[in-house]
């Protein structure tokens, strides 16, 4: 169980590690215990009650960790505990494993010990109501567990709730291993049902570490193992399948958040044909009031059952009769019924540009490129979203070797929505076709020189025509964004230093107006470049006059003065 500071650092973020070092150095860790491969302690934090911290180790290092603080995760309190272990292992009291400790005690001592523990923590008395699992001679009574789960779900700490739910799951697991699947399944179903009854939408963010949802996942997996073991107990199977179905429907209602991911698979794989009949009645009832997303999920659920039982044709029929427009169109495409698929897509996808493109791509992938081009050309007429589809057509022509069609389409795109990337694509294509020299002037002429001044500056700079870029930027009313000033200034330094100096002054003064040390550091960088140009032109006196005036204008800005001093200005 060797551990280093680097190991600890690799598990957390820099801020948590730094704070953890502070906690360790001030001795916040106390009552430290090592029991087997587990380290436990309490850590004095920001609350009146100390936080309970534990870490389990194995041969590879840190195997697990937990802290009772609200932050969760690998927090500063865990860092402090591990730093104590690395630097002061002697601070940990070493005690034998719990089983060994209890085995040494007589019955009377154990009773006295339980009384002492309850005296210190009265809430532990509730544990005496709970059966002890398969070692308990009494038949399973689920009610004490129901009370435990309900009490847990009233807490405002998702981690604490998840921990208590997990404890019930551990009991269920013991029943299952002991050959009592009915008792195990009843506990798994109880945890899932009680939790779902109290589920709130805001839990999705509240349970950020997945403690509660992780317990639901474990319950679904447990019921998967239990169902086949109670094949003749129809009432019990029905109740378990109902709660699994409830979990899946809640997940659909929430928009597909993986609430208890195995639940749907368990129902699909473990329900008998007779059980599936009432399940599907319920699903079809839900279908009547479902929105488009929920309809897709419900139909997919029912179709998956048919596929899982070897009835693929029935699954297709269900989708074509009950599915969403998207499900039907893509299935028809898969079945080779192209005209029907395109007809649905043309009628129903027009206001969903992402779906339009997905469908066009699917057409191409299934070998129907011409149908894809015709479909997208039709969508181009959609005035609201038509601009999304021109680039798709252009790229399609380009990727499939139709260079002239690609060039024509990209030209239309550039004339409608000028951009540097489209210009560069046109340059590449037109050069391959040997028509660039004739096309370039027409493209430049098609762009409004004031409205698209920034684009024309970018083009000129990409082509190395700094003089033209400066001419464009000097036009009265030219819309040249400030983000281009730096590029223009650097490009102009060699041949047009006066223009470059003007940009550097404007950028420096703009940065100073932004206030703050970071802005002043940026300003100092521009001023250094301005100084170097003045000195290169033999204008040291002009530079000194300018920087003296600038300092005087902002003499109250002490941070600015400090940054100018650091920069040697």
């Amino acid at each position: 169980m060797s551990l280093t500071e680097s190991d600890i650092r690799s598990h957390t973020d820099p801020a948590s590690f730094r704070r953890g070092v502070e906690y360790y150095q001030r001795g916040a860790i106390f009552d430290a215990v090592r029991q087997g491969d587990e380290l436990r302690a309490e850590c004095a934090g920001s609350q009146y009650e100390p936080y309970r911290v534990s870490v389990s180790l194995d041969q590879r290092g840190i195997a697990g960790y937990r802290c009772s603080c609200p932050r969760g995760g690998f927090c500063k309190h865990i860092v402090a505990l591990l730093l104590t272990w690395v630097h002061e292992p002697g601070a940990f009291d070493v005690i034998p494993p719990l089983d060994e400790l209890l085995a040494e005690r007589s019955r009377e001592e154990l009773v006295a010990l339980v009384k002492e523990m309850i005296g210190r923590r009265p809430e532990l008395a509730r544990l005496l109501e709970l059966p002890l699992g398969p070692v308990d001679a009494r038949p399973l009574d689920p009610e004490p567990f129901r009370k435990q789960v309900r009490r847990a779900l009233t807490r405002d700490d998702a981690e604490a709730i998840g921990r208590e739910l997990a404890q019930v799951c551990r009991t269920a697991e013991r029943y299952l291993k002991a050959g009592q699947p009915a008792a195990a399944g009843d506990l798994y179903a109880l945890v899932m049902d009680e939790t779902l009854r109290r589920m709130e939408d805001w839990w999705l963010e509240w349970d950020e570490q997945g403690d509660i949802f992780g317990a639901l996942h474990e319950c679904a997996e447990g019921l998967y193992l239990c169902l086949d073991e109670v094949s003749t107990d129809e009432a019990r199977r029905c109740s378990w399948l109902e709660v699994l179905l409830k979990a899946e429907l809640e997940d659909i209602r929430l928009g597909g958040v993986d609430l208890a991911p195995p639940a749907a698979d368990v129902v699909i794989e473990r329900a008998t044909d007779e059980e599936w009949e009432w399940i599907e009645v319920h699903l079809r009832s839900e279908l009547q009031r479902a929105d488009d997303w929920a309809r897709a999920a419900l139909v997919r659920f029912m179709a998956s059952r048919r596929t899982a039982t070897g009835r693929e044709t029935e699954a297709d029929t269900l989708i074509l009769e009950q599915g969403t427009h998207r499900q039907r169109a893509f299935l028809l495409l898969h079945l080779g019924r192209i005209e029907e698929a395109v007809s649905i897509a043309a009628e129903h996808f027009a206001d969903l540009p992402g779906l339009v493109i997905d469908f066009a791509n699917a057409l191409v992938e299934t070998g129907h490129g011409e149908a894809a081009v015709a479909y997208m050309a039709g969508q181009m007429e959609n005035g609201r979203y038509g601009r999304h589809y021109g680039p798709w057509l252009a790229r399609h022509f380009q990727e499939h070797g139709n260079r002239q069609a690609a060039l024509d389409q990209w030209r239309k795109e550039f004339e409608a929505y000028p951009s540097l990337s489209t210009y560069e694509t046109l340059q590449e294509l037109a050069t391959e076709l040997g028509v660039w020299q004739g096309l370039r002037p027409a493209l430049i002429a098609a762009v409004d020189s004031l409205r698209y001044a920034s684009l024309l500056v970018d083009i000129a700079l990409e082509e190395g025509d700094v003089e033209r870029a400066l001419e464009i930027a000097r036009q009265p009313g030219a819309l040249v964004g400030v983000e281009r000033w730096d590029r223009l200034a650097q490009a102009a330094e060699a041949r047009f230093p006066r223009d470059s100096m003007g940009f550097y002054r404007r950028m420096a003064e703009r940065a100073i107006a932004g206030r703050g040390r970071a802005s002043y550091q940026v300003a100092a960088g521009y001023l250094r470049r301005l100084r170097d140009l003045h000195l290169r032109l033999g204008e040291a006196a002009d530079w000194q006059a300018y920087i003296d005036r600038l300092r005087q204008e902002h003499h109250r800005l002490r941070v600015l003065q400090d940054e100018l001093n650091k920069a040697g200005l």
Side-chain angles (χ1 to χ4, degrees):
M1 295 192 299
S2 61
L3 203 65
T4 67
E5 283 199 9
S6 296
D7 296 328
I8 303 169
R9 192 189 298 270
S10 68
H11 277 76
T12 192
D13 59 274
S16 294
F17 183 81
R18 184 175 62 254
R19 295 298 308 280
V21 171
E22 294 172 2
Y23 271 54
Y24 162 67
Q25 290 175 342
R26 75 185 193 205
I29 294 294
F30 61 96
D31 286 348
V33 170
R34 173 190 168 189
Q35 188 172 36
D37 292 336
E38 184 178 29
L39 307 175
R40 296 192 304 274
E42 294 195 335
C43 181
S46 57
Q47 301 297 316
Y48 176 75
E49 290 288 334
Y51 298 120
R52 297 182 301 279
V53 193
S54 64
V55 175
S56 55
L57 305 173
D58 60 20
Q59 296 303 315
R60 294 174 295 180
I62 300 167
Y65 48 85
R66 186 172 289 276
C67 179
S68 62
C69 74
R71 185 243 195 220
F74 204 104
C75 62
K76 58 195 174 188
H77 312 111
I78 292 171
V79 172
L81 172 67
L82 289 172
L83 288 173
T84 305
W85 170 249
V86 169
H87 298 296
E88 302 178 53
F92 287 75
D93 290 333
V94 180
I95 60 176
L98 185 60
D99 287 348
E100 292 182 20
L101 287 173
L102 296 177
E104 297 173 355
R105 302 282 187 167
S106 67
R107 180 181 181 280
E108 291 74 15
E109 288 175 320
L110 292 174
V111 170
L113 179 60
V114 169
K115 289 181 178 179
E116 176 67 22
M117 294 171 66
I118 292 174
R120 298 187 183 191
R121 301 285 295 274
E123 69 272 16
L124 294 178
R126 295 171 180 165
L127 297 178
L128 296 178
E129 301 174 4
L130 299 177
L132 300 177
V135 299
D136 197 318
R138 297 171 292 175
L140 172 66
D141 178 5
E143 290 312 307
F145 291 103
R146 193 180 308 279
K147 291 179 182 178
Q148 180 187 9
V149 171
R150 287 178 177 176
R151 279 194 299 266
L153 291 169
T154 63
R155 304 181 67 171
D156 58 3
D157 182 345
E159 181 183 350
I161 293 173
R163 189 161 56 245
E164 291 203 43
L165 299 183
Q167 288 172 352
V168 180
C169 290
R170 296 289 79 74
T171 303
E173 185 179 6
R174 291 198 298 273
Y175 274 115
L176 185 59
K177 289 181 178 179
Q180 300 183 45
D186 284 346
L187 286 181
Y188 286 130
L190 182 153
V191 170
M192 181 171 279
D193 184 51
E194 292 294 335
T195 304
L196 292 172
R197 286 175 185 272
R198 290 156 180 78
M199 179 72 64
E200 300 283 352
D201 291 358
W202 50 267
W203 284 18
L204 297 175
E205 296 183 6
W206 178 54
D207 186 24
E208 59 181 354
Q209 299 298 322
D211 295 289
I212 299 174
F213 298 153
L216 294 179
H217 185 128
E218 187 172 352
C219 289
E221 289 185 332
L223 287 170
Y224 180 90
L225 299 173
C226 294
L227 272 163
D228 273 1
E229 302 299 323
V230 292
S231 57
T232 60
D233 193 338
E234 295 180 6
R236 179 171 267 118
R237 285 178 57 87
C238 181
S239 67
W240 295 355
L241 288 168
E242 281 181 346
V243 74
L244 287 163
L245 181 60
K246 182 179 178 181
E248 178 59 17
L249 292 177
E250 181 68 7
D251 185 74
I252 291 173
R253 186 188 70 80
L254 293 170
V257 296
D258 286 343
L259 186 65
D265 294 336
V266 177
V267 175
I268 288 169
E269 296 178 25
R270 288 295 191 253
T272 65
D273 290 340
E274 293 75 16
E275 290 164 342
W276 183 259
E277 287 182 9
W278 64 259
I279 290 170
E280 182 150 327
V281 168
H282 193 90
L283 293 173
R284 286 183 179 272
S285 175
E286 292 287 330
L287 204 58
Q288 301 307 311
R289 53 181 178 270
D291 60 20
D292 206 49
W293 190 93
R295 170 173 288 275
L298 290 165
V299 169
R300 186 164 53 248
F301 190 7
M302 291 187 286
S304 295
R305 167 67 182 196
R306 288 160 172 75
T307 301
T309 53
R311 297 177 291 158
E312 289 83 359
T313 301
E314 289 184 31
D316 292 345
T317 301
L318 173 70
I319 292 172
L320 294 177
E321 291 178 352
Q322 300 290 335
T324 62
H325 299 308
R326 175 180 184 138
Q327 287 177 312
R328 291 164 55 215
F330 279 84
L331 176 58
L332 287 168
L333 184 58
H334 174 73
L335 296 174
R337 295 159 61 177
I338 307 306
E339 291 184 8
E340 294 174 77
V342 172
S343 176
I344 292 173
E347 181 179 357
H348 297 287
F349 296 175
D351 291 333
L352 300 166
L355 185 53
V356 167
I357 292 173
D358 287 346
F359 184 73
N361 289 335
L363 281 168
V364 173
E365 290 167 6
T366 53
H368 299 92
E370 291 184 7
V373 170
Y375 169 67
M376 290 299 272
Q379 294 299 308
M380 287 280 289
E381 298 176 5
N382 183 333
R384 186 176 180 187
Y385 297 108
R387 68 164 298 182
H388 292 274
Y389 311 134
W392 185 95
L393 281 168
R395 282 190 290 270
H396 175 79
F397 292 138
Q398 194 171 348
E399 291 167 3
H400 291 81
N402 193 340
R403 291 286 193 269
Q404 187 59 54
L407 183 70
D408 294 342
Q409 188 62 50
W410 280 123
R411 180 171 181 176
K412 292 177 184 177
E413 286 301 306
F414 183 79
E415 291 174 350
Y417 313 105
S419 73
L420 180 62
S421 62
T422 304
Y423 181 87
E424 291 173 337
T425 300
L426 280 165
Q427 182 179 18
E428 180 184 346
L429 280 169
T431 300
E432 290 180 17
L433 295 171
V435 297
W436 176 242
Q437 294 305 316
L439 179 61
R440 180 187 176 282
L443 296 177
I444 298 297
V447 178
D448 184 279
S449 62
L450 293 180
R451 181 182 177 189
Y452 291 102
S454 291
L455 171 61
L456 293 172
V457 166
D458 286 341
I459 290 173
L461 291 176
E462 288 296 320
E463 294 178 345
D465 191 345
V466 179
E467 186 173 11
R468 172 65 179 155
L470 291 171
E471 288 175 3
I472 296 167
R474 292 192 200 105
Q475 295 179 103
L479 299 176
V480 178
V482 295
E483 66 274 10
R484 285 167 182 80
W485 292 358
D486 197 358
R487 288 189 68 199
L488 281 164
Q490 293 187 59
E493 282 189 9
R495 293 179 53 210
F496 308 98
R498 301 276 177 208
D499 292 280
S500 182
M501 291 162 66
F503 284 118
Y504 284 138
R505 277 194 296 271
R506 289 163 66 188
M507 288 189 290
E509 291 166 11
R510 181 184 177 87
I512 291 171
R515 296 289 188 267
R517 187 175 294 276
S519 295
Y520 298 151
Q521 290 171 347
V522 171
Y526 292 136
L527 290 170
R528 279 197 298 267
R529 296 183 190 177
L530 178 60
R531 177 197 60 191
D532 293 345
L533 284 172
H534 271 296
L535 296 179
R536 195 184 93 191
L537 296 174
E539 299 173 354
D542 290 344
W543 159 252
Q544 195 60 51
Y546 172 76
I547 193 65
D548 289 346
R549 184 173 67 252
L550 188 70
R551 280 181 173 273
Q552 180 57 35
E553 288 176 2
H554 301 292
H555 67 277
R556 295 182 183 277
L557 302 180
R558 289 178 294 176
V559 177
L560 171 63
Q561 302 291 336
D562 180 51
E563 290 301 326
L564 294 178
N565 291 335
K566 289 179 181 178
L569 300 171

